[in-house]
């Protein structure tokens, strides 16, 4: 049966960083809703144009739009063995929709690791974040690329995200607390949540995550 995992945590917790490592290890597709929106934005699709304002303000894109986009992605053949979801769901309504769509595909969420990092660390994480167009993530202090401005993995250029500016980050953290943090109780009640200490170095966080996944 296909296995689906959901990574949750505040912006800057390390979801994208860990998702890339874990997805490769288990040969799972990595689905980042933020990356899907950025791809649409770059290609100036209708979806991208619709999402742009919300993203720039650090708000959530409306549920119906987001759910439709992820549903389309999950229904592609490369997800037949499952996927690692990063940044989706972000509201209880999205979580309900995910449960329904996975049921249709004869599957379910296996585990929801929460990468826990206190708000005080997030601004430093995000203001030093550098990303490539494939979504490989670096940090100028905590995980610097070998050559400044160049992705170690595919040699492409690194850039800083528009929405990683301090004012936008503050709003994204507020939005997380108000709209996404309720998922902690949501998945806790369903016995799917496992808390991971995201303040440790990247490889220590990976170890904790792998051990949680191996247990299910
Ligand atoms: P998210 O996807 O949750 O928003 P990222 O994976 O993009 O977070 O990580 C945010 C920033 O923090 C990146 O610059 C990344 O290199 C850095 N980072 C990720 N994990 C850690 C960690 N365990 N310790 C220090 N910095 C980290
Ligand atoms: P991320 O790359 O996960 O930090 O997401 C970047 C931005 O994309 C967010 O601030 C939102 O505007 C939008 N976004 C990503 N995922 C979702 C989601 N599941 N629901 C609503 N908006 C989202």
């Amino acid at each position: 049966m296909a296995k689906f995992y959901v990574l949750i945590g505040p912006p800057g917790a390390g979801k994208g960083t860990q998702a890339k490592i874990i997805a490769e290890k288990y040969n799972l597709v990595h689905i980042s809703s933020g990356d899907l929106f950025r791809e649409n934005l770059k290609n100036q699709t209708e979806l991208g144009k619709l999402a742009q304002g919300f993203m720039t303000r650090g708000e959530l894109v409306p549920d119906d739009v987001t759910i439709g986009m992820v549903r389309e992605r999950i229904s592609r053949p490369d997800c037949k063995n499952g996927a690692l979801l990063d940044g989706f769901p972000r509201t209880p309504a999205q979580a309900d929709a995910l449960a329904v769509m996975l049921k249709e595909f004869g599957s379910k969420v296996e585990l929801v690791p929460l990468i826990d990092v206190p708000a005080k660390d997030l601004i430093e994480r995000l203001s030093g974040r550098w990303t490539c167009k494939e979504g490989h993530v670096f940090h100028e202090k905590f995980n610097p690329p070998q050559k400044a401005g160049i992705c170690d993995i595919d040699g492409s250029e690194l850039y800083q995200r528009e929405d990683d500016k301090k004012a936008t980050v503050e709003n994204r953290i507020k939005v997380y607390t108000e709209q996404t943090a309720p998922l902690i109780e949501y998945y806790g009640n369903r016995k799917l949540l496992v808390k991971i200490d995201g303040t440790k170095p990247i490889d220590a966080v990976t170890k904790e995550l792998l051990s949680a996944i191996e247990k299910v």
Side-chain angles (χ1 to χ4, degrees):
M1 193 174 84
K3 293 198 186 302
F4 287 87
Y5 301 91
V6 171
L7 284 183
I8 63 172
K15 302 181 296 296
T17 301
Q18 297 297 335
K20 283 269 178 263
I21 302 170
I22 309 264
E24 183 164 356
K25 183 161 171 72
Y26 290 112
N27 204 14
L28 284 170
V29 175
H30 168 205
I31 300 178
S32 154
S33 44
D35 284 351
L36 292 176
F37 281 128
R38 280 184 289 278
E39 183 72 24
N40 275 281
L41 200 60
K42 201 177 81 193
N43 297 330
Q44 282 293 296
T45 66
E46 286 308 310
L47 180 66
K49 287 183 203 162
L50 194 154
Q52 184 162 25
F54 298 100
M55 295 174 79
T56 310
R57 292 188 296 274
E59 295 167 8
L60 295 187
V61 179
D63 281 339
D64 55 341
V65 177
T66 306
I67 290 165
M69 175 182 75
V70 173
R71 179 178 230 294
E72 187 283 320
R73 181 66 191 88
I74 286 183
S75 43
R76 290 195 215 158
D78 62 346
C79 294
K80 67 176 191 315
N81 295 327
L84 182 53
L85 303 181
D86 153 17
F88 180 92
R90 255 175 159 100
T91 62
Q94 292 181 14
D96 284 341
L98 176 66
V100 171
M101 67 179 98
L102 292 186
K103 200 166 177 195
E104 274 173 44
F105 301 137
S107 187
K108 61 180 177 40
V109 172
E110 300 287 323
L111 190 74
V112 182
L114 160 69
I115 306 185
D116 203 22
V117 174
K120 69 173 178 48
D121 295 343
L122 300 173
I123 296 194
E124 189 184 12
R125 290 241 186 139
L126 294 175
S127 60
R129 168 158 75 179
W130 290 80
T131 313
C132 85
K133 61 177 185 343
E134 298 300 327
H136 300 122
V137 192
F138 300 87
H139 191 282
E140 53 195 35
K141 182 165 150 195
F142 304 128
N143 182 28
Q146 285 177 5
K147 200 167 159 210
I150 304 291
C151 176
D152 286 354
I153 296 149
D154 57 34
S156 67
E157 219 174 290
L158 299 176
Y159 70 95
Q160 288 197 286
R161 275 169 50 176
E162 255 317 285
D163 60 347
D164 280 348
K165 282 192 233 129
K166 191 165 181 272
T168 317
V169 165
E170 279 165 356
N171 194 43
R172 286 163 62 206
I173 295 170
K174 182 167 167 269
V175 165
Y176 172 80
T177 308
E178 291 172 0
Q179 299 186 49
T180 306
L183 289 181
I184 298 171
E185 195 183 333
Y186 179 104
Y187 283 121
N189 289 340
R190 287 160 180 77
K191 307 273 176 272
L192 290 171
L193 193 88
V194 52
K195 215 170 171 176
I196 306 289
D197 179 1
T199 64
K200 293 184 184 164
I202 292 171
D203 53 352
V205 177
T206 306
K207 251 193 207 152
E208 257 195 61
L209 272 169
L210 290 175
S211 123
I213 292 173
E214 293 294 335
K215 275 190 200 138
V216 289

